[in-house]
Amino acid sequence: MKLVLAIVQDKDTRGLMEALVAAEFQATKLASTGGFLREGNATVLIGTEEGKVDAVLAIIQKTCHVREQLVSPLPPVVEPVDSYISAPVKVQVGGAVVFVLDVERMVKI
Ligand code: 2BA
C-alpha cells in the first residue's frame, strides 16, 4: 500500500477532493501553511494500492493548476526600513507538490 501526500493550493482543493471521491478513492484534507509564502494551502492524504498511484497522480494533475503569485520580499536588515522600496517578485505555485510513501501497515480500529 502507498500513501500519496499532495500539497495543493486552497483554490484547487475542492475540485481535487470531488474528483478523488468520484473515482472512489478515500482522501483526507488537512489545512496547512507554506513556509515560503506563509499562506494557507491544503495537504491531501490518499491511501491506495500501489497499482492505483498513477491514477491518483493523473487526477491531481488534472485538477491542480499552476499559478503565479506576487510576493513582497522582506527589507534587508542592514538598510533603514524607510529607504527600502521593495518590488514584488513573481513566484510560480503548484499545480501540486506530491510525495509517494510506502505504508508499512494500515489498521482501522
Ligand atoms: P510555499 O513554501 O509557500 O512556497 C510557495 C512557492 O514559492 C513554491 O511553489 C515555490 O515556487 C516558491 N518558493 C518556495 N521556496 C522558495 C525560495 N526559497 N525561493 C524562491 N521561491 C520559493 P511550490 O514549489 O509549488 O510549492 C507549494 C507549496 O508546497 C509550498 O508552499 C510548501 O507548502 C510545499 N512544499 C514545496 N516543496 C516542499 C518540500 N520539499 N517539502 C515540504 N513541503 C514542500
Side-chain angles (χ1 to χ4, degrees):
M1 186 173 197
K2 296 281 183 181
L3 178 67
V4 180
L5 193 158
I7 303 166
V8 305
Q9 294 173 76
D10 273 335
K11 289 172 190 155
D12 293 323
T13 312
R14 190 177 170 163
L16 172 61
M17 295 300 281
E18 284 176 2
L20 287 169
V21 171
E24 299 186 356
F25 287 107
Q26 296 214 36
T28 299
K29 184 188 96 174
L30 307 174
S32 46
T33 305
F36 186 68
L37 296 179
R38 315 262 168 99
E39 285 187 1
N41 53 25
T43 300
V44 179
L45 311 179
I46 307 125
T48 191
E49 295 152 34
E50 188 164 0
K52 293 186 178 174
V53 168
D54 285 344
V56 171
L57 296 181
I59 291 172
I60 295 170
Q61 191 167 30
K62 202 169 160 188
T63 53
C64 297
H65 308 287
V66 177
R67 295 185 184 86
E68 284 193 332
Q69 203 155 324
L70 286 173
V71 187
S72 296
L74 293 171
V77 185
V78 286
E79 282 184 46
V81 174
D82 50 4
S83 70
Y84 178 75
I85 302 166
S86 67
V89 291
K90 271 186 191 168
V91 292
Q92 230 179 38
V93 190
V97 175
V98 182
F99 301 89
V100 181
L101 313 173
D102 288 324
V103 175
E104 194 174 303
R105 191 171 166 206
M106 178 194 163
V107 190
K108 285 191 190 181
I109 297 173

